[in-house]
Amino acid sequence: MALSLQEKILDPNQGVYLIGTTPPKSGTEQEKVKRIATKLLDRLHEIEYDGVVVYDIQDESSRTNVPRPFPFKETVDPCEYSRLVKSLSQLDVITYKSVTQRDSAEFTQWLSTTKQEFGLNNLVLVGSPSSQGKINLPLPEAYQAFAQHEENFFLGGVTIAERHASKRNEHERLIEKTTQGCEFFISQAVYNAQATIDLITSYARTCKQQGIEPKRLILTFTPCGGEKTLQFMEWLGISVPEATKWRMLDADNTLSESIRICRENLDSILRSCAHLDVPLGLNIESLTNRKEEIDASINLYRLLKATMELTLAEKQIA
């Protein structure tokens, strides 16, 4: 019998391979939303994957004074889109949820609706992108409300290696979020391998010191098709080293070069962290709706999954 996504995430001997996607823009007709979801899944029919991550897009303009390279557009409710993708694919989904817009009572009601009406079980709660602006429900309070809710969910959290590079405490956040119920973590897109290596190393060492088992870290990778996408990546806070930036932009084919860089980064992370016993996974996304970048994300998925599977096989032989 095939393992569920939850079982795979909890079993350190299993690989976990996900595809990340964003719901269509708000106001899209229901039939068109279904066509978009079907088209996505048709693109994925030749690859084996464990589930789909559906993001809850926030307007992150409060985080930076730099203008957003692409205009912010509200999307279809992530729960509605998750239910549709789950129904069409017959695979598990992980649904992101920004918690800041609702107060505690409204969030508690949202949890009930998510389970009872939408039939969703796998959640990643996301806090405010900055301390600026109105925050009705801080993330720690959302975790408290979550813990008191009568429904059972499989909870994940977000991890940001760039935050560790500047504050040196992201590993402590992971451990704290674990005490608040998180069973896995999904990273921001990786273009700075060393920042991710430093985070995994700090996390592994602290877990060992405290006698606790590390949770699975699912690493996100995304292709970059050009300068506009790169600007968006940097606007989102993704760390792109200077040499990596020019290597992509000066290449004959930026998209192909970005895939090579992602492969090298994953190789570096796996080599550096193989001895740490932190279970890893992959989440591949496209940051834009450009066809060439979406197609490239599928090629990237194939390449990185093969890389990860080889490492798992070598580990089991050892």
Side-chain angles (χ1 to χ4, degrees):
M1 185 175 177
L3 296 176
S4 68
L5 178 57
Q6 286 185 28
E7 289 170 329
K8 286 191 172 186
I9 287 174
L10 293 174
D11 183 349
N13 295 315
Q14 297 292 324
V16 174
Y17 305 103
L18 305 172
I19 297 291
T21 192
T22 302
K25 66 181 179 181
S26 181
T28 304
E29 294 180 2
Q30 196 166 4
E31 194 54 42
K32 187 174 181 182
V33 170
K34 186 175 181 180
R35 287 201 305 271
I36 291 169
T38 301
K39 187 174 182 180
L40 168 68
L41 296 173
D42 285 346
R43 277 191 169 113
L44 302 177
H45 80 280
E46 292 183 357
I47 63 174
E48 290 186 7
Y49 58 103
D50 297 315
V52 176
V53 177
V54 176
Y55 297 116
D56 185 8
I57 301 301
Q58 304 176 68
D59 183 0
E60 299 186 28
S61 300
S62 62
R63 188 178 43 76
T64 175
N65 292 323
V66 177
R68 200 180 197 274
F70 298 108
F72 171 73
K73 296 179 181 178
E74 292 189 2
T75 70
V76 169
D77 183 344
C79 286
E80 291 183 13
Y81 197 60
S82 291
R83 178 173 60 181
L84 175 62
V85 169
K86 182 180 179 183
S87 172
L88 292 173
S89 68
Q90 296 300 302
L91 290 172
D92 288 315
V93 294
I94 295 173
T95 308
Y96 272 51
K97 182 58 191 172
S98 171
V99 302
T100 58
Q101 296 93 342
R102 295 170 167 81
D103 62 24
S104 183
E106 291 170 327
F107 176 67
T108 297
Q109 181 56 51
W110 177 87
L111 286 171
S112 298
T113 302
T114 297
K115 190 63 170 277
Q116 297 162 13
E117 181 178 333
F118 293 103
L120 302 175
N121 191 52
N122 309 313
L123 301 179
V124 170
L125 303 184
V126 183
S128 174
S130 79
S131 58
Q132 305 299 315
K134 187 177 181 182
I135 301 174
N136 291 320
L137 185 64
L139 187 57
E141 292 181 22
Y143 283 133
Q144 291 175 9
F146 177 89
Q148 295 166 4
H149 200 272
E150 69 256 9
E151 297 284 5
N152 290 320
F153 292 90
F154 190 61
L155 181 65
V158 171
T159 185
I160 301 175
E162 286 85 349
R163 196 158 55 194
H164 187 70
S166 62
K167 297 184 178 179
R168 315 308 300 175
N169 66 350
E170 185 70 6
H171 61 298
E172 295 170 358
R173 288 172 180 254
L174 297 182
I175 291 170
E176 182 180 1
K177 287 181 180 180
T178 298
T179 66
Q180 294 166 325
C182 289
E183 296 286 353
F184 65 96
F185 298 95
I186 300 179
S187 81
Q188 183 169 260
V190 174
Y191 265 89
N192 185 335
Q194 191 59 52
T196 298
I197 292 166
D198 290 346
L199 168 59
I200 295 172
T201 302
S202 296
Y203 179 52
R205 293 187 75 250
T206 304
C207 285
K208 187 174 182 179
Q209 289 165 0
Q210 297 186 11
I212 58 179
E213 290 292 322
K215 298 297 184 181
R216 187 180 296 270
L217 304 186
I218 299 171
L219 306 178
T220 299
F221 290 87
T222 183
C224 174
E227 189 167 5
K228 193 77 170 178
T229 302
L230 179 59
Q231 289 173 357
F232 187 43
M233 285 163 48
E234 293 180 322
W235 186 87
L236 288 169
I238 297 167
S239 171
V240 183
E242 191 78 3
T244 301
K245 171 181 176 179
W246 294 118
R247 180 178 160 187
M248 286 191 291
L249 294 182
D250 291 343
D252 291 336
N253 187 318
T254 296
L255 200 52
S256 297
E257 195 66 26
S258 76
I259 291 175
R260 279 189 283 272
I261 288 167
C262 288
R263 163 66 185 277
E264 291 169 12
N265 283 339
L266 179 60
D267 271 336
S268 179
I269 292 165
L270 294 176
R271 283 197 311 272
S272 299
C273 301
H275 65 291
L276 297 175
D277 293 327
V278 176
L280 302 177
L282 289 176
N283 173 44
I284 310 300
E285 65 181 10
S286 172
L287 286 173
T288 75
N289 58 7
R290 294 172 58 204
K291 181 181 183 300
E292 56 266 39
E293 292 194 4
I294 295 172
D295 290 343
S297 70
I298 296 171
N299 291 332
L300 178 62
Y301 175 90
R302 287 192 180 99
L303 184 61
L304 297 195
K305 181 183 179 184
T307 303
M308 184 80 86
E309 289 279 82
L310 181 59
T311 299
L312 274 172
E314 289 173 343
K315 186 176 180 180
Q316 289 168 1
I317 291 171

